[in-house]
Amino acid sequence: MRLTTAALVALLTTGTAALACGGSFSGFVDGLRSEAEARGHSKDSTRRFFAGIRQSQSVLRADRAQGVFQKPFTDFARNLISEARRKKGEAKGREFDAVFDRIEQRYGINRGVLLAFWAFETDYGGFQGDFNTANALVTLAHDCRRPELFRPQVFAALELFEQGAFDPATTTGAWAGEIGMVQMLPRDILEHGTDADGDGRVSLKTSAPDALMSGAAMLNGFGWRADEPWLQEVTVPDTMDWSLSGITTTRSAADWQKMGVSARSGEMATGLQASLILPQGRKGPAFLAYPNFSVYFDWNQSFTYVLTAAYFATRIEGAPAFDPRSPEKGLSGDAMKELQRRLRDRGHDVGKIDGILGAGTRAAVRAEQGRLGLPADAWPTQALLSRL
């Protein structure tokens, strides 16, 4: 899930009231209705939009059950990527060749990037989610875990409703409120929805051209740099300074090359800045992440998902399958939680104790590895846990 710039702006401009959450669900809905009218929406439209809203326990269960992100990159990627899915992506690329040509000409975004998102989000439109979107958004806005993301999306959905582009009774999608083939939130649809098939409507659920062009417009809005790479698999020497790896450290690709990093296929973009990504430490697969890689985090904030989507995009574009190498065995979910607790007790900000190797946990692991004289590759192992 993401907190888009628009959502942040909406949060700031509506003040502390936008943070209100919890309490009686019916009272919460009444508060949304009152705020909508204060924003200038008519009483009739707000009454009709909120009339059938119900709290969804299935949405809350889905929000709490994201254990899949505890999987290491190689397992996660193998679960999501199959030869059949890759070949289907290539076929979809041919089927909508003219649309992708327009996207590449207008935004400079490679077709593989959008095909990978299309594949992962809805299996190329095959399953777009069957959660009632209005119920999902209001439920998650009421829940106090991420109200700053979902409350503005409720009002965006209301605006779509007033435009005739959203039916609170029948619009369905993912459990977190995304709609359509590439799964866009209401605010993103308002800002980037595009009628690419020329029928006068933005139909993200039924029109692949609309969905793909809208997704491209959204990536462009997030800051995608036209005609530049995003990810490249590399090989690394055993003598690397592992503390230089990670998405927070950048060097020119030319500098990485001087350190002995080399591309497994193709040429390195030596004129661009890049980060060395070691998702499973110095003995596992390795990638150079170019500036466009950061844009992926505006689509999804899971490092493992982002890396897998970016890698799959390169596969669709013709890159070979990654070399898994022989990474040291990682930690189980429970062991990772124990590691996070020990890191937190040592003053590190690891965020929620959830067993997921996120950015905060990686940074803390790297710091402790350096303190203990271990290779600082940010990959937690049982040896590190024992030392802590």
Side-chain angles (χ1 to χ4, degrees):
M1 296 301 102
R2 60 188 181 275
L3 177 58
T4 62
T5 301
L8 181 58
V9 170
L11 170 63
L12 294 175
T13 55
T14 53
T16 54
L19 291 173
C21 60
S24 160
F25 187 77
S26 61
F28 177 77
V29 173
D30 288 341
L32 288 176
R33 186 184 297 110
S34 297
E35 184 176 339
E37 292 175 8
R39 287 168 173 252
H41 297 281
S42 72
K43 288 186 177 181
D44 179 62
S45 65
T46 55
R47 176 187 59 78
R48 289 186 291 121
F49 181 85
F50 289 107
I53 294 295
R54 299 291 182 272
Q55 188 174 29
S56 174
Q57 294 301 317
S58 60
V59 164
L60 294 174
R61 286 193 295 270
D63 184 46
R64 304 296 191 263
Q66 299 189 63
V68 65
F69 294 113
Q70 293 180 354
K71 292 179 180 292
F73 166 71
T74 52
D75 292 345
F76 188 88
R78 286 166 178 161
N79 283 349
L80 279 183
I81 300 171
S82 65
E83 186 63 10
R85 178 167 270 182
R86 186 184 67 80
K87 288 183 175 179
K88 187 172 182 179
E90 293 175 346
K92 288 292 184 182
R94 292 189 295 270
E95 181 181 354
F96 296 100
D97 183 66
V99 177
F100 286 114
D101 280 348
R102 289 165 57 196
I103 288 171
E104 288 164 4
Q105 291 165 8
R106 184 171 181 178
Y107 297 118
I109 300 173
N110 292 53
R111 61 188 62 199
V113 173
L114 286 160
L115 284 164
F117 278 127
W118 194 10
F120 286 2
E121 296 291 343
T122 64
D123 200 18
Y124 304 106
F127 183 71
Q128 301 179 32
D130 54 7
F131 291 86
N132 178 280
T133 301
N135 287 345
L137 292 172
V138 176
T139 295
L140 292 168
H142 173 261
D143 184 48
C144 288
R145 200 159 81 85
R146 289 170 297 171
E148 73 281 359
L149 171 59
F150 292 105
R151 191 179 183 104
Q153 299 298 336
V154 174
F155 299 115
L158 172 58
E159 191 170 340
L160 287 173
F161 168 65
E162 292 173 326
Q163 294 176 4
F166 184 97
D167 184 340
T170 63
T171 299
T172 57
W175 62 263
E178 300 101 336
I179 302 166
M181 294 190 187
V182 295
Q183 300 284 267
M184 293 173 64
L185 287 165
R187 176 58 59 186
D188 295 321
I189 296 172
L190 282 172
E191 294 181 351
H192 305 295
T194 305
D195 173 22
D197 60 15
D199 67 354
R201 298 176 296 133
V202 177
S203 306
L204 303 185
K205 293 174 72 71
T206 58
S207 170
D210 286 7
L212 294 168
M213 190 65 75
S214 298
M218 183 168 69
L219 286 173
N220 179 67
F222 290 157
W224 188 272
R225 291 164 52 161
D227 305 313
E228 288 189 7
W230 55 96
L231 189 76
Q232 184 175 34
E233 189 185 3
V234 294
T235 59
V236 292
D238 293 335
T239 55
M240 280 291 302
D241 178 355
W242 305 113
S243 68
L244 296 177
S245 65
I247 59 175
T248 59
T249 299
T250 60
R251 297 284 189 277
S252 72
D255 285 343
W256 290 117
Q257 199 169 53
K258 291 174 183 176
M259 289 183 235
V261 176
S262 60
R264 277 199 71 214
S265 64
E267 299 294 328
M268 292 168 61
T270 54
L272 296 179
Q273 294 291 300
S275 298
L276 179 63
I277 304 297
L278 306 173
Q280 290 174 256
R282 68 195 188 283
K283 297 182 180 180
F287 302 90
L288 274 190
Y290 294 103
N292 276 333
F293 183 75
S294 65
V295 175
Y296 276 79
F297 288 97
D298 285 314
W299 194 301
N300 190 292
Q301 292 181 359
S302 163
F303 173 83
T304 303
Y305 177 96
V306 160
L307 180 59
T308 305
Y311 158 70
F312 188 41
T314 68
R315 286 284 286 133
I316 293 173
E317 296 273 320
F322 70 83
D323 180 3
R325 303 180 69 215
S326 300
E328 295 180 79
K329 185 177 181 181
L331 299 176
S332 67
D334 287 341
M336 186 69 78
K337 290 178 182 178
E338 178 59 26
L339 174 72
Q340 289 175 319
R341 282 189 283 267
R342 296 185 189 186
L343 291 169
R344 180 195 60 194
D345 292 346
R346 283 161 176 76
H348 296 285
D349 180 9
V350 298
K352 182 180 178 182
I353 306 299
D354 56 8
I356 297 174
L357 182 57
T361 301
R362 284 183 182 274
V365 167
R366 190 188 309 281
E368 289 299 317
Q369 286 172 326
R371 183 181 66 83
L372 295 168
L374 301 171
D377 61 2
W379 179 240
T381 63
Q382 185 61 48
L384 174 64
L385 181 59
S386 297
R387 291 285 296 273
L388 293 177

